[in-house]
Amino acid sequence: MSQLYAADSLYQGSAVVVDQSPAEQEKGMRIALQEVLGKLSGLNQFAAYPEMSSALSAARKMVLAFYYENHPVLLPDGSSTEEKRLVANFSPKAVDKLHTDLQLPRWNPNRQALKVWPIVAYGQERSIMPIELEYAWAGMADLALGRGMPMRWPEADENGEYAVDVQLLWGGYTDELNEQGPGETLVVAALQDGPEWNVRMSLDYEDLRWSERFRGADLEAVLQQGLNQAIDQVVAASSIAAADSGNWQVDITVTHLTNAEDYARCLAYLQGLSVVESVMVKDASAGKVRFSLGLNAAPNYLQQYLQAGKTLLPGAAEGQYQLQP
């Protein structure tokens, strides 16, 4: 199984189909479009949007291209099978308009990869991402991909060992794990307790800390339930409500720009924020630039993104920031 699962294009969706008949094709495109809207909004359920069903009927008109693939599915007994999937690429312009018309929230597309550490208890022994449960890890990766959540697995050395204290991992101490490198962390600690699996998930994502337990006889179902809730936590902390969308203009001053490279890095950072639509330079002096930012959401969202990004830290005065080295 691949060690890296990055989120696919936000405007690409997929659906399991029985065959390539027109009826299955139509159904598949609707499901694929709903997946795309889920990636953009962060929503896993659309019960609060009854108009969604009729909106999906226009799926075919928004498709730029589609194809079929035979997707491998790992089974608990170690064997594998295949399922046919329709994969569709949609027009970003058309989908964005539908997204706005439906008044869906907007999940920040600049998402940190979630590094998932699975650890399983066998009696007194602890095993990191055991190969016999590969079907369960593959199911988690597939779910994360469908929801637009970038996801990574830990990498073992040439001896199959992981540079981590197993006891700390089992305890869910995510702070120590995040010190080892970039990427936010989800620790999945699983223990088979009689006929059921007892799973604890501990999430450390930017400023978010979350932990919850899940139980069930089907490990794959338990893991997917937990991962869905973990992603929901990330979405809730980094989404813009439809009511807060609009057009705002904000001026900020950035200091500690010592050379052209610093200026270019600062400009690229601001332009890369999903809440920022435009960046203009109002004036500049030695080591300092005043920018005028066009925003697509209320200014408090800009503050949240700047705080989470840690590239620009608040300066001495309001609206002033320092570029970090």
Side-chain angles (χ1 to χ4, degrees), residues 131-320:
I131 190 68
E132 63 270 19
L133 298 177
E134 186 176 12
Y135 76 95
W137 316 138
M140 290 182 71
D142 198 40
L143 185 152
L145 188 65
R147 291 202 61 183
M149 180 78 250
M151 178 173 155
R152 300 189 301 145
W153 298 111
E155 295 184 12
D157 61 21
E158 62 274 11
N159 299 315
E161 301 293 330
Y162 296 88
V164 63
D165 186 314
V166 174
Q167 293 306 318
L168 286 176
L169 185 62
W170 179 256
Y173 296 102
T174 53
D175 289 341
E176 288 79 1
L177 295 173
N178 281 342
E179 290 175 358
Q180 297 184 10
E184 310 307 270
T185 303
L186 177 67
V187 175
V188 180
L191 167 69
Q192 194 162 23
D193 185 10
E196 290 191 328
W197 284 91
N198 187 344
V199 177
R200 184 189 69 248
M201 293 201 174
S202 303
L203 176 68
D204 186 341
Y205 194 92
E206 296 178 346
D207 295 327
L208 174 65
R209 303 292 182 274
W210 172 82
S211 183
E212 189 62 78
R213 289 185 179 273
F214 304 89
R215 295 183 67 94
D218 184 337
L219 177 61
E220 187 172 11
V222 172
L223 292 176
Q224 294 198 18
Q225 178 191 10
L227 180 59
N228 263 324
Q229 289 196 26
I231 294 174
D232 287 345
Q233 296 294 319
V234 174
V235 169
S238 54
S239 292
I240 297 172
D244 290 334
S245 295
N247 297 300
W248 281 264
Q249 205 73 27
V250 172
D251 289 355
I252 67 170
T253 299
V254 180
T255 63
H256 292 62
L257 301 173
T258 59
N259 50 44
E261 287 76 15
D262 282 350
Y263 168 77
R265 182 162 65 92
C266 177
L267 182 62
Y269 172 71
L270 291 172
Q271 290 174 332
L273 295 174
S274 64
V275 73
V276 175
E277 291 290 327
S278 63
V279 182
M280 294 180 58
V281 175
K282 298 198 75 170
D283 55 64
S285 57
K288 181 169 67 174
V289 176
R290 185 157 64 104
F291 295 98
S292 179
L293 306 180
L295 308 181
N296 55 32
N300 62 292
Y301 286 99
L302 174 65
Q303 306 303 323
Q304 292 174 18
Y305 287 176
L306 293 178
Q307 182 179 3
K310 299 181 177 63
T311 297
L312 300 179
L313 295 186
E318 183 177 354
Q320 189 174 93

Side-chain angles (χ1 to χ4, degrees), residues 18-33:
V18 175
D19 52 41
Q20 297 185 25
S21 66
E24 281 293 291
Q25 188 181 105
E26 193 71 27
K27 183 178 75 172
M29 288 182 178
R30 290 169 61 98
I31 295 172
L33 177 57

